[in-house]
Amino acid sequence: MRTGRASALTDTGRRRMQNEDAFVCDPPLYAVADGMGGAQAGELASRLAAATLEERAAGLVGEETVTELIREANDRIYRHALGDPAAAGMGTTVTALLVDEVAGTIAVGHVGDSRAYLVRDGALEQLTADHSLVAELVRTGRLTPEEAEQHPHRSVITRALGTEPDVEVDTFTVAAEPGDLYLICSDGLSSMIRDDEILSVVAAAEAHPDSVAERLVDAANRAGGEDNVTVVVFEILEGEPLPEQEAAAPEPDEPTAEAAVTVAVEEDPAAAPGHPVRRHGAGAGGRWLALGAILLALAAAALLVWWGLAR
Ligand code: MG
């Protein structure tokens, strides 16, 4: 098997002023992080988590890797918060899927209530179990799933990244099949629309990742858009792994994650309320790649003009 099309979309929603969600859509790694904290601290926490995963995952596979990456993100956020009073207490959820095309498996690691779903054979399955107050109450039989959906404290999570020096990460491995569609989302989607609605949106979009992401974000906003909403979607296809993915290595010119995070938090006009932000490829590093492509195109044009004049 191999990974096919992928799409990611994040939106501030209709009630919040800032978008504290972040994501990675950088094959073979896909992740969503939903930050919390005062001022811009939630945004910083989620972006630090996304940047750590994206920076370190190249060429790696497996559950242990996912656990290590998430622990590393935890450490980085925790230490950053210790040294910055404005960021004290910041934290984030994280749900990460790392595809191993050679083994045909997907390693899943998560902390908090951002969810991973699998759509297979026309059915939707929630892969992750929320680390949330209401989910614990449902698991112990003290709340019905219907009561949980309406509960005033349904956004309270029982585990987060960055709030303690160490974190317990839940991991498992899924045997992937051609035709699978994987969906990762923040609670801004799953608390606004029900699972059966998610499935009907996927069906209406004919499982096309761009269309699925757009329609799901629209659906969450139409249902009230009470929180930031982020959706990452990717498909699994029949076929051999693409060779370049096996030899994936970090780009030497990529900025450090700290630099990318600073840029992303302070200078992203597209992240203002009401403007969905889309990335098909890299999350934090995407804009640098785009800038590089523009500079290359300009250099090529200059060379052509020079060549024309020289003849
Ligand atoms: Mg949220």
Side-chain angles (χ1 to χ4, degrees), residues 21 34 187-188 227-228:
D21 286 358
D34 177 352
D187 68 331
D227 195 3
N228 307 144

Side-chain angles (χ1 to χ4, degrees), residues 15-307:
R15 300 286 178 85
R16 304 290 174 95
M17 294 305 291
Q18 288 172 314
N19 191 343
E20 298 189 321
D21 286 358
F23 64 79
V24 180
C25 183
D26 190 9
L29 179 74
Y30 306 87
V32 166
D34 177 352
M36 58 189 187
Q40 291 195 325
E43 202 171 344
L44 179 62
S46 64
R47 284 176 193 247
L48 275 173
T52 306
L53 294 178
E54 190 166 28
E55 196 177 86
R56 304 271 194 260
L60 303 174
V61 290
E63 260 180 63
E64 276 170 31
T65 296
V66 173
T67 305
E68 269 169 40
L69 292 173
I70 292 176
R71 287 222 176 105
E72 199 175 321
N74 182 77
D75 185 57
R76 196 154 159 192
I77 298 162
Y78 183 74
R79 281 188 294 110
H80 191 110
L82 283 183
D84 179 2
M90 70 174 171
T92 184
T93 71
V94 72
T95 295
L97 273 63
L98 184 60
V99 181
D100 182 344
E101 291 187 328
V102 177
T105 55
I106 299 176
V108 183
H110 82 109
V111 173
D113 65 353
S114 298
R115 291 180 177 174
Y117 289 97
L118 163 61
V119 182
R120 177 183 287 173
D121 300 329
L124 181 87
E125 182 190 355
Q126 184 182 329
L127 296 173
T128 51
D130 298 348
H131 302 136
S132 70
L133 181 68
V134 293
E136 309 288 349
L137 292 174
V138 170
R139 278 196 282 275
T140 53
R142 283 182 283 172
L143 215 60
T144 66
E146 293 72 31
E147 287 168 339
E149 278 173 17
Q150 305 298 329
H151 201 281
H153 300 309
R154 63 183 182 277
S155 65
V156 175
I157 55 174
T158 50
R159 245 193 256 179
L161 226 58
T163 55
E164 303 287 335
D166 203 4
V167 68
E168 188 187 351
V169 182
D170 280 5
T171 56
F172 54 90
T173 298
V174 179
E177 287 179 12
D180 282 355
L181 189 80
Y182 292 85
L183 170 72
I184 316 170
C185 66
S186 60
D187 68 331
L189 179 76
S190 51
S191 67
M192 298 310 302
I193 66 170
R194 293 196 321 266
D195 287 6
D196 57 336
E197 295 172 83
I198 293 178
L199 186 60
S200 53
V201 167
V202 171
E206 293 172 339
H208 188 293
D210 278 352
S211 179
V212 169
E214 267 162 33
R215 287 170 190 237
L216 285 175
V217 169
D218 277 356
N221 279 331
R222 268 187 278 109
E226 286 174 19
D227 195 3
N228 307 144
V229 53
T230 301
V231 178
V232 174
V233 191
F234 66 94
E235 62 184 5
I236 296 294
L237 303 176
E238 196 104 45
E240 292 300 308
L242 300 174
E244 61 265 33
Q245 282 202 5
E246 290 176 64
E251 299 264 343
D253 292 329
E254 285 275 300
T256 67
E258 298 284 357
V261 166
T262 308
V263 168
V265 169
E266 291 173 2
E267 296 175 20
D268 195 351
H275 296 273
V277 180
R278 174 187 289 286
R279 306 267 188 279
H280 291 277
R287 94 191 68 241
W288 294 94
L289 291 175
L291 185 65
I294 291 166
L295 288 175
L296 261 179
L298 284 174
L303 198 67
L304 274 174
V305 168
W306 172 81
W307 184 70

